[in-house]
Every structure is written in C-alpha cells, then in structure tokens.
Amino acid sequence: MSYQVLARKWRPRVFREMVGQEHVLQALINALDHNRLHHAYLFTGTRGVGKTTIARILAKCLNCETGVSSEPCGQCAACREIAEGRFVDLIEVDAASRTKVEDTRELLENVQYAPTRGRYKVYLIDEVHMLSNSSFNALLKTLEEPPPHVKFLLATTDPQKLPMTILSRCLQFNLKNMNPERIVQHLKFVLEQELVPYEESALWHLGRAADGSMRDAMSLTDQAIAYGSGKITESEVSAMLGTIDQAAVYELVSALASLDGRALLAAVDKMSEQAPDYASALAEMLSVLHRIAIAQALPEAVDNSHGDRERIMGLAQRIAAEDVQLFYQTALLGRRDLPLAPDPRAGFEMVLLRMLAFKPQGVMDVPTQTLPASSAPRVSQAAPVQSAPAQPAPIAQPSVPAVEQQPVPSLSVPSQPTVSPTPVVVAPAPQPVVVPVPAPVAAAVATPVPSPQPAVAARVIADTPPFDGPYDNAPDYGDDASYDEYAQAPAYLDVPPGGDEPKKPEAPLAAPEPSALPAASQASANPSHNSPPAVAVRTLRKVAYEQAGPQDWVDIYLGLGVSGILQSTASNCQLVDRRGNEFHFVLDENNSTLYDPGHQQRLADLLSDYFVERVSVVIQPGQVTAETPALTAIRLRAERQQAAVDAIHNDPIVQQLIAHFGASIREDTIEPVIWPAAAP
C-alpha cells in the first residue's frame, strides 16, 4: 500500500477531532442537535485551517444512516463513502476550474431532483470566489430558495471578492489561524502515534514556520521526518527551514548584555559559517528580546515552550529594561533597512554595533522642584523677607543634565521692612522652566529683594471653559499669591546664552517705589491695602423672571448651563425683545451654520427651568447689534490677556532682568490668572 501523507491520514473525521475553531464547531453542533439547519453555509479563512474538512464532516452528519446529529457513526455506508470521496450525493466542485456560467448552469440542472442515496444532496463549492459574475448571478435564486433536500457548503480564502448578494444568502463562519502552541500540541500527538522520535524545540520551529496553517505544519513535519531519516531534531529542522540556531542568537544577546563588541563580532563570524538569512536572525533576536521584556515585567508569564526559560530569566536579570527596549527598537528598524545595505552581513553587523553605540548611559536629571500630587488647591505660607542684607535670595536654581553648571547669581536690592507671612491658596503650577544666568553678573548684586506679587503670573491655573470664565465663582486665592510661585516659573522670559559680557549696573539696584508696583504687589507690601486686583471676576447673579430683559441676557445664559450644539446657537444669540412670556432672539448669521429649528424648543425648556415659569422662544437669524455671550467672552478674554501682558511688562523685577541679563519677554506664554473680586 502506498504511503499516505500525514495531512490526509490525520484529517479529522468527526467534530471532536478538530483542532481549534471552537466558535464554529459550537454553532454547528448546536444546530445539528436541535435541527436548526440553514440551507447555505460559507466557510472563510486562510489555507489549511479546516474549511473543507468541516464541510465534509457536516455532509457526513447530514447523511449518516443513524440520523442527523453532530456525532456521525463513521461505520455506515454513507459515512465511509464520504470519507473516501465517492459519495454520489456529495458533489464537490472546484470553482477555480469551473468559472464559466455554462458550468454553473450544468451544475444546477440536477438540483430539483431528489438525492440518490443520502438524505440531502450537498453541493460543496471550494474557492467559490473564483466564479465569474455571470456564474454568481445564475446561482443567486437557487442559493436563496433551494429545494428542501439541497444544502450548499461554500468555502473561500478571499470573501471580499464575493458579491454582497451571495454573502447575504449564506450563514458565514470565519475560521481563525492556528497559533504555534496549538500546532505543536497536535504535532506531539501525531508523532507519538506514528512512533517518530522528536525534539520539542524542533516542533516549535515547525509550528512557527506553518504560519497558522495546520496542513502546512503536517506537510513540514513529513518533510522533516524524511530529512532526518525518521527522526526530528532541532539542528536538522533549522537546516531544512534555513532558520537560525537559537544558541547563536543567545550568544549575540549575551554579548550585547556584556557590552562586549569583540564577542559580538565573533558570534556573527561563527553564525556566518552556516550562510544564514540575516533578516531571519534579526527576527529571532526580536523574539528573544520580546520574551526578555515579558520576563522583566511579569516573570510568571514566561513559559518553557522553547526549552529556554532559565536562559531567558538569566538574561532578564543581566540587561536593564531600558536597554531591552532600545535593542528591540533598533533591531526592528534594522530589519526594515537591511535590504538597503550593500552586504547583508555588513548590514547585520551595523545593527548590532548600533545597539552598542546608542546604549543609554543614564537617566536624564529631573528638576528638583516638587510637583503637586493632584489638581486640588494647596496651601502655602509666604516666607517673610529677611532684613539682613548678608543673605542673598536666589531667583532660580538651574538644573541642566550633562552640562557643566555655572554659579547662579542672586538679584538683590537694599533691605525692606519685614512683611508678616500671609497664608494664601494657590493653584498647582507647572514645572518651572529655569534658565542659567551668566556668572560675571554675580558681582553686580549683593542684597535681597522684597517679594512683590504681579497682578498676573504665567500659567498658574488652567483656562476656563468657553463663555463661563469671566463670571464663575473662582476659589479664594487671596489678594496676592506667593512670589516664590512666580519666581520659580518665569516661562515668559528668554535669557540669551552666554557669549557677550553682560552690562553691569553703574550703581546698586534700588528698591522700587510702592507706587511703581502693580496693584497686587502694593497689596503684598502693604497688608492694610486691600484694593482689588487688576482683573477681577464678579459673582454670577440670578435674574428674576419679572425683571428679565435684553440687558440681562448674558447673566441668564451663564445660568442656563447650555451644552452641546445648542451652546453654539445660544451663545451667538442676542435677546432683542420680550413680550410677556415670549422671548425674541436674533442669531448672528455668521455663526448660524449649526442652527436647527428644534433649538427654539430646547432653549425654551432651559429658560422655563431657569425662571420656573413657562416661556416660549423665537429665534431669527440676522445681524446682531449688541454683544452676544460669545462676543462678551471673547472681549473679556482679550482684556485679561492684555492686562496680563501689561503687568509683566511693567513689573520691576522683569524690567531688571531685561536690563541686566538681556532677557526678553515671550508674550505667547503669558496667561492671565482669574482673581476673585475683593470682598465688599
């Protein structure tokens, strides 16, 4: 008797022998057991995943002489004939060789006749996507309403080429690719039954080379048995497949872990004796680095599928986590660029040398300023200014990694009277941007500076939501914030790099007069002074229904809590008239693209909830003649921004930095702080 290949000899005969595809088998088994059978089934998936096998088992279940069930007996004449491929009522068609419409018509001529021997006449059409458009059209009506004794089983590797009219008439099942673990497990069972000695690591090579196809895995196993004279070993399978010996890959990774360039090139030279595929070598390195990264993150997740768990765990302890990530990325990019190298070995060596050359030499220094743990406001004490002139107060401490630091001078003026510490609440500030100051300026200053607080600081709190900022009740930040928060984050200043000798002041810097300070700075210097800040907000007021008029529309709008698309409409409306309980609005025609007539009722509902009175709304697009809530918000935001820029320009400390250090103001980084209105 001639030899039968493993792929045919071990083809599953019943559903329980199938490997994988549980999602398909469960649906078919339940349909057979409960007699809920469809007239057309479509099985899709890549080659060798079981499409035709499942179709043949289904035909056997439908025509078994013991009855329709998910467990055919396998002993009756119908089961044996289907297994041997000679059952007269199972018509298998290769659509790739019968694409013409004449072939399809000839096939369908006998559909109306009852089956000869079985219970059902089963049409199994393989590679159905190869049929022509005319063939699909000829098949449509029969596929949609076939006779009760006919079942269609279609199989294809490319379902995208099927017309939607065909897909909609079939019950579709998508078969998945087999993972290497499942393939290796099945190969072990087959080889043990065949009494073929094997090495498990060799089976993993076969499982990965099969690329998700069980049929390809069985064919490769047949080839490996013939290549190894009746046995399967890792070295012979690697030679047969042209893959890289894992031991050579571990030598490369070990040399990288030791940062030993001599050992690295020696391992490449040893590997080159086998004429390897260097792209495959990089792929094997990526696989090893991937397992090392898993071992570092979650050691218990590393299996012993390759028989190398101990070696992986040892390498995971030797190589730093950031090195593993850099090696992986370098190998990944090197594999992409390898075809561009003039010589494959040279390109492979350059990838390995690049891993050594770009190895991280340490983690960059991080700023020493403590960041707030959350966005909640924190309470800080304003440190009192010391009157002793001998203690300089540094403005900022630069922290630049890998650069030689120069001493940072202190900016100082004659002493001022001590100011009592006042607890203030400030919002979390972003990470300070600090610029080192040239050393020659240190001789120009010698005494401390008082702590005036400008009216606004750069990026102390986040922007407020659109149209709500100017009127929201802001948290109480106090009359002024600590100067430390301001001095630690001069993001709006640019100090030029060293080179030219900065100009020294002709005389010691004098303290600014209180009248020259901004309002908030005067309040800080004089606790009794409680004037409001330069930009204040007012408390949102509730407008009474009887008094509501066009002049109150902005306050009414802010109290409505409008959101979504309606916000675009309401914020660009002007209340022009009120007639009893009817409010008339004009919508700015330049901002009416999102307007919908249904917005009238939605706005009326919001106003009714606001006034606790039933009102109606009429909205007409047109030209507005007064400020809408959107225009009011834009105007107030521009005013706050301009006030912030003016405060920074007029601040005496900023002026001194510009005069003596050559700094420049970056107005694009200045953002206003919304201070609460002073208590009456």
Side-chain angles (χ1 to χ4, degrees), residues 362-371 397-402 431-432 434:
V363 182
M364 294 182 62
D365 295 336
V366 297
T368 57
Q369 300 293 340
T370 303
L371 292 175
Q397 179 66 34
S399 176
V400 180
Q431 181 62 37
V434 184

Side-chain angles (χ1 to χ4, degrees), residues 4 6 16 71 116 121 165 271 290 330 386 411 478 504 608 635 648:
Q4 191 174 20
L6 295 178
R16 66 172 179 271
E71 289 284 342
T116 303
K121 182 178 289 188
T165 51
M271 180 189 296
H290 166 251
T330 305
Q386 301 295 331
L411 181 63
K504 294 184 179 181
S608 299
R635 175 179 59 81
I648 295 298

Side-chain angles (χ1 to χ4, degrees), residues 292-333:
I292 291 174
I294 292 179
Q296 292 175 339
L298 197 65
E300 59 270 18
V302 180
D303 56 15
N304 196 32
S305 58
H306 296 68
D308 57 354
R309 188 177 190 278
E310 295 301 326
R311 182 174 290 181
I312 290 292
M313 299 302 295
L315 290 172
Q317 296 177 356
R318 291 177 56 193
I319 309 178
E322 59 269 20
D323 290 346
V324 174
Q325 297 297 327
L326 183 58
F327 292 162
Y328 188 91
Q329 186 68 17
T330 305
L332 199 63
L333 297 178

Side-chain angles (χ1 to χ4, degrees), residues 8 72 76 82 127 132 152 175 283 311 314 324 329 350 368 379 407 449 496 535 537 557 560-561 580 650:
R8 294 185 59 188
C76 64
I82 291 175
E127 299 300 331
S132 64
F152 284 96
L175 279 66
R311 182 174 290 181
V324 174
Q329 186 68 17
M350 284 301 298
T368 57
V379 179
V449 177
V535 179
V537 297
Y557 166 81
L560 295 179
N650 296 331

Side-chain angles (χ1 to χ4, degrees), residues 42 44-45 129 156-163 167 172 174:
L42 174 63
T44 66
H129 67 273
T156 179
T157 57
D158 196 356
Q160 289 80 10
K161 293 183 178 179
L162 294 181
L167 294 175
Q172 184 173 350
N174 299 313

